[in-house]
Amino acid sequence: MTLTQVPHHIAIVMDGNGRWANKRFLPRIAGHKQGVDSLKRCAKACDARGVRVLTVFAFSSENWQRPAEEVSGLMELFAFALGREVAELKADGVQLRFIGDRQGLAPKVLRGIESAEATTAQNTRLVLNVCFNYGGRWDIVQAAARLCQQGLAVTEAHLNQTMSLSHVPDPDLVIRTGGEQRISNFLLWQSAYSEFFFSDLLWPDFDESALEAAIESFAQRQRRFGKTSEQVDANPPAKE
Ligand code: FPP
């Protein structure tokens, strides 16, 4: 069997913040705050492990349906965390990108997003894509609509160039924490050939050793991209 390399691009559904807080009789927002710390730890561990792109699902198009208090708490946390973390992210060589629909976001959040992107734009060590007000269906629809506006045919190549993650290769590994095994409208287009890893850990508990377990699992997989294993064995993918 061909052993694959460390994933170049890991994408994560960071699920379980609410349950982490509930278990401690804390408000749900306390779980989200802990989730930010877990994300920082995970980004550092990815960098140390040689992962070059990390994409995380921070707020879905559907999350607006949560109780107003949780939505506003998440927006506040998001703006606050951006302000607090951007200098360290810049120093660590992280390029921040925000993926999703920016219409309807509060001016404070928009300003934070634009400033964080501008501040870290020259960094090349790790690309951190934060999917915010994002949905996989939204992404496909916005790309198709833009192609129509430009009078371009809806082909796979044109869509690839127009999707919101066109600046990075597709994720090699998609991780979901929190014990659920579903995609929840995340990276529907880009995960066509991703490997999946589901962890029962709640996102705030997902630490370096949990990431290592996911990478180890990935390393045992043979990615065939529709071919047979004999074909892949005869022509293994080049190592980086
Ligand atoms: C899912 O857990 C998590 C979210 C909807 C929000 C994730 C957001 C963060 C970790 C903060 C990110 C912040 C920045 C600055 C990028 P859940 O609430 O659905 O948990 P549950 O399933 O236990 O209820």
Side-chain angles (χ1 to χ4, degrees), residues 107-128:
K108 183 160 77 170
V109 174
L110 255 186
R111 277 198 304 274
I113 283 177
E114 284 164 5
S115 154
E117 282 189 334
T119 307
T120 62
Q122 304 308 319
N123 283 347
T124 54
R125 202 174 159 85
L126 175 78
V127 177
L128 174 55

Side-chain angles (χ1 to χ4, degrees), residues 14-19 28 32 35-36 39 58 63 66 78 81 130:
M14 309 180 287
D15 197 12
N17 294 343
R19 278 167 285 163
R28 291 177 59 85
H32 296 311
V36 175
L39 174 55
N63 285 152
R66 291 192 172 202
F78 192 68
V130 178

Side-chain angles (χ1 to χ4, degrees), residues 13-22 28 31-39 56-60 63 66 70 74 77-82 85 96 98 128 130-132 176-178 180 182 202-204:
V13 179
M14 309 180 287
D15 197 12
N17 294 343
R19 278 167 285 163
W20 184 94
N22 283 343
R28 291 177 59 85
H32 296 311
K33 283 184 186 153
Q34 202 67 29
V36 175
D37 291 345
S38 188
L39 174 55
V56 295
F57 207 0
F59 192 85
S60 79
N63 285 152
R66 291 192 172 202
E70 181 168 350
L74 271 167
L77 173 63
F78 192 68
F80 172 77
L82 280 182
E85 304 297 344
L96 267 172
F98 296 87
L128 174 55
V130 178
C131 295
F132 194 81
R176 181 174 185 138
T177 62
E180 311 287 358
R182 55 176 171 254
L202 305 176
W203 173 246

Side-chain angles (χ1 to χ4, degrees), residues 10-190:
I10 294 183
I12 309 185
V13 179
M14 309 180 287
D15 197 12
N17 294 343
R19 278 167 285 163
W20 184 94
N22 283 343
K23 275 169 58 177
R24 289 162 179 79
F25 306 102
L26 294 169
R28 291 177 59 85
I29 196 68
H32 296 311
K33 283 184 186 153
Q34 202 67 29
V36 175
D37 291 345
S38 188
L39 174 55
K40 273 182 75 177
R41 178 174 61 196
C42 184
K44 284 181 191 288
C46 280
D47 174 43
R49 217 41 192 84
V51 174
R52 290 288 155 247
V53 184
L54 175 63
T55 300
V56 295
F57 207 0
F59 192 85
S60 79
S61 319
E62 291 75 30
N63 285 152
W64 294 106
Q65 299 168 56
R66 291 192 172 202
E69 188 189 336
E70 181 168 350
V71 172
S72 63
L74 271 167
M75 294 297 155
E76 284 295 324
L77 173 63
F78 192 68
F80 172 77
L82 280 182
R84 190 185 60 184
E85 304 297 344
V86 79
E88 189 177 335
L89 289 166
K90 184 181 180 188
D92 287 347
V94 177
Q95 182 186 131
L96 267 172
R97 296 280 200 122
F98 296 87
I99 310 300
D101 189 356
R102 297 191 184 188
Q103 278 177 28
L105 295 183
K108 183 160 77 170
V109 174
L110 255 186
R111 277 198 304 274
I113 283 177
E114 284 164 5
S115 154
E117 282 189 334
T119 307
T120 62
Q122 304 308 319
N123 283 347
T124 54
R125 202 174 159 85
L126 175 78
V127 177
L128 174 55
N129 297 305
V130 178
C131 295
F132 194 81
N133 198 17
Y134 169 89
R137 290 179 176 174
W138 164 83
D139 197 8
I140 294 168
V141 169
Q142 68 79 26
R146 274 164 62 191
L147 292 183
C148 291
Q149 275 166 12
Q150 293 164 16
L152 289 169
V154 180
T155 64
E156 194 170 322
H158 284 154
L159 276 170
N160 268 331
Q161 290 162 18
T162 317
M163 301 292 292
S164 59
L165 282 178
S166 61
H167 56 290
V168 290
D170 286 346
D172 302 293
L173 174 63
V174 176
I175 298 172
R176 181 174 185 138
T177 62
E180 311 287 358
Q181 303 194 356
R182 55 176 171 254
I183 191 77
S184 298
N185 202 14
F186 187 48
L187 305 185
L188 296 182
W189 175 268
Q190 296 88 346

